[in-house]
Amino acid sequence: MARKEVIPIVFTSSAYYAPYMAVTIQSVIDSSSEEYDYELIILHKEIDKKTQSRLTNMISAHINFSIRFYEVKEALDQHNYNFREGYSPESFYRVVMVDLLTEYDKVVYLDCDLIVKHDIARLYIDTELGNNLVAAAIDIDGLASSFSNHDGRKEYMISYLGVKDLHDYLQSGVMIFNLKEWRNTYTLQEIVDAACDDEVMFGDQDVLNKLCHGRIKFIDMSWNTIINHRKRQLEELLYLAPADVMEMYIRARKEPKIVHYGGTKPWDYPDCDMSFYFWEEARKTDFYDDIIGRKVNGFRREAYGI
């Protein structure tokens, strides 16, 4: 029997984010197909063995799923880095995965604050990368802020990030990484240096836009549908975002393949836009009580050094 095609899916998480990552993983499982094998790769900071075991138990009934954990701090400590105040090291793990996952030429990356509603294998298989470094959707929020020129964002995107056409600014929550091309293009130290540059405004998303500009395969926004996170966001975007991008966003909202809780999290605001997708999956996990308990008991992020 021929071996099934393998779909490698990378997550990055701190111990604090582990319960929410579990909900995303549950959604991947529920939308998966028996036609493929799915390898879940967790790049993490201080997720303890007990939590790792709980996450592993989630896939125990699914023979086409596997899971591996990489503690990344040791690998990063081998390089010179000085992450800026306000950004934790784990938020930059995906920009250094090129050196950690040497056995892969191509991987899917998913943030831990989203719900997958359509088989992620289709995105992985159907997206032809060519010599592009990544595949990703347009960031409608980023475009709106650039067109409003908030805090000089437009000039920054053009002059520093090199984004000449503001339509070409990617949202980094869902991406396919062409790791082979990354290795042919940048050294790890070059990537780390770019990630640590003091001029970077919005963390690793800006870093990825700077490093990948001109070599981005843009995918349909339904694969990364950002929620209306401030309740008034849609009204604002109607005035600020380009009409063609706004049309793509409205279309994606009607049938989202991935719902992304960028900005507002359902575990903080249980009735936020499209929150029912999150709670539907959360109830199926062993972490549901943890999530509810944090909300009810006024969980403090400081307990995890955040």
Side-chain angles (χ1 to χ4, degrees), residues 115-144:
I115 297 297
V116 178
K117 299 298 295 177
H118 192 80
D119 187 3
I120 200 68
R122 297 305 344 146
L123 177 64
Y124 180 85
I125 294 169
D126 295 342
T127 305
E128 292 293 336
L129 286 170
N131 70 343
N132 289 305
L133 293 171
V134 294
I138 295 172
D139 181 15
I140 190 169
D141 280 345
L143 278 183

Side-chain angles (χ1 to χ4, degrees), residues 258-270:
I258 294 180
V259 176
H260 187 179
Y261 298 97
T264 300
K265 313 304 182 189
W267 53 87
D268 290 329
Y269 300 92

